[in-house]
């Protein structure tokens, strides 16, 4: 087996384990491992399915949960942003 293929498979498994262990988002996993969000997504949704189906199912469950909560996280982030802006205006 080609070393590049082996490294890619290993990276897919490591990314999958990271997401499961930390219940992280694709963005968080990408930042923590130094690869792009696109790479993380491709590895855990396509390659991992062929390599370790059980881990793939665990990752998919977490990604589905993240997707269902995405609009809530966005609303919280927006609220915090405008709260910081208002506090800065008050202190100026």
């Amino acid at each position: 087996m080609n070393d590049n293929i082996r490294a890619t498979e290993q990276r897919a498994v490591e990314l999958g384990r990271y997401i499961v262990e930390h219940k992280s988002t694709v963005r968080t996993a990408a930042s923590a491992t130094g690869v792009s969000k696109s790479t993380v997504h491709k590895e855990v949704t396509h390659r991992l399915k062929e390599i370790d189906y059980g881990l793939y199912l665990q990752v998919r469950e977490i990604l589905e949960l993240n997707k269902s909560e995405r609009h809530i996280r966005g609303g919280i982030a927006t609220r915090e942003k405008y709260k910081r802006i208002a506090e800065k205006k008050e202190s100026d």
Side-chain angles (χ1 to χ4, degrees), residues 4 8-11 15-16 18 23 26 28 35 42 51-52 54-55 57 62-63 66-67 73-75 85 88:
N4 288 337
T8 301
E9 289 178 353
Q10 182 178 356
R11 181 175 62 194
L15 287 167
Y18 182 88
K23 302 217 183 302
V26 169
T28 305
V35 296
K42 175 92 173 175
I51 299 166
D52 186 340
L55 181 59
L57 291 175
I62 291 168
L63 296 182
N66 290 341
K67 188 175 180 180
R73 291 182 188 148
I85 290 171
K88 186 175 183 206

Side-chain angles (χ1 to χ4, degrees), residues 62-81:
I62 291 168
L63 296 182
E64 287 297 321
L65 176 65
N66 290 341
K67 188 175 180 180
S68 71
E69 294 175 346
R70 179 173 52 194
H71 67 286
I72 296 168
R73 291 182 188 148
I76 292 169
T78 301
R79 183 176 60 214
E80 292 298 318
K81 172 186 173 181

Side-chain angles (χ1 to χ4, degrees), residues 20-71:
V20 170
E21 289 172 11
H22 296 92
K23 302 217 183 302
S24 73
T25 62
V26 169
R27 184 179 297 240
T28 305
S31 294
T33 58
V35 296
S36 72
K37 293 181 303 183
S38 299
T39 300
V40 172
H41 191 267
K42 175 92 173 175
E43 299 285 340
V44 299
T45 59
H46 294 93
R47 290 195 177 103
L48 191 58
K49 188 176 185 177
E50 303 296 321
I51 299 166
D52 186 340
Y53 192 72
L55 181 59
Y56 162 78
L57 291 175
Q58 291 176 324
V59 170
R60 190 176 75 176
E61 186 176 316
I62 291 168
L63 296 182
E64 287 297 321
L65 176 65
N66 290 341
K67 188 175 180 180
S68 71
E69 294 175 346
R70 179 173 52 194
H71 67 286

